């Protein structure tokens, strides 16, 4: 299977997700967080660093649960523009098309 390259908007969203998870994890060990969520520490490290920009939903749901984050909060955080304004779905799609 050939994986299409990520759009700049997808890469940016992955970076915001990683930053959110790092902040939520705080001083908590990456190893313990990953094991509690049922994912490998390497997977968590890659998500937090933005190297996995589009992780699977169950993976994010498990990590968010361990960190005490609601999925609504995660969604709101990763779907904001650089200036902190929430993007409507149509606006996100438009920006993604323009960026690619």
């Amino acid at each position: 299977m050939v994986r299409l390259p990520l759009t700049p908007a997808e890469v940016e969203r992955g970076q915001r997700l990683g930053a959110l998870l790092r902040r939520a994890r705080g001083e908590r060990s990456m190893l313990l967080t990953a094991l509690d969520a049922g994912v490998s520490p390497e997977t968590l490290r890659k998500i937090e660093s933005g190297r996995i920009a589009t992780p699977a939903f169950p993976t994010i749901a498990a990590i968010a649960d361990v960190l005490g984050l609601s999925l609504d909060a995660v969604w709101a955080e990763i779907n904001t523009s650089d200036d902190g304004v929430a993007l409507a779905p149509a606006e996100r799609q438009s920006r993604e098309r323009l960026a690619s």
Side-chain angles (χ1 to χ4, degrees):
M1 179 171 103
V2 175
R3 183 177 175 126
L4 296 174
L6 298 174
T7 67
E10 289 170 326
V11 171
E12 184 181 322
R13 194 168 41 238
Q15 291 169 344
R16 284 194 299 267
L17 173 63
L20 170 65
L21 296 178
R22 279 192 307 279
R23 283 193 313 271
R25 187 169 55 80
E27 296 297 317
R28 184 178 178 152
S29 158
M30 183 180 287
L31 175 63
L32 291 178
T33 302
L35 294 176
D36 288 346
V39 300
S40 74
E42 181 67 9
T43 296
L44 180 57
R45 186 182 67 73
K46 286 179 179 179
I47 293 170
E48 285 190 359
S49 68
R51 289 185 51 214
I52 299 178
T54 57
F57 177 80
T59 301
I60 294 306
I63 295 169
D65 183 53
V66 166
L67 296 176
L69 294 172
S70 76
L71 291 176
D72 288 336
V74 172
W75 181 254
E77 175 81 16
I78 66 171
N79 287 296
T80 57
S81 64
D82 291 334
D83 56 5
V85 176
L87 300 176
E91 187 176 357
R92 278 195 310 273
Q93 290 172 352
S94 175
R95 286 187 183 200
E96 288 173 1
R97 272 190 238 109
L98 290 173
S100 57

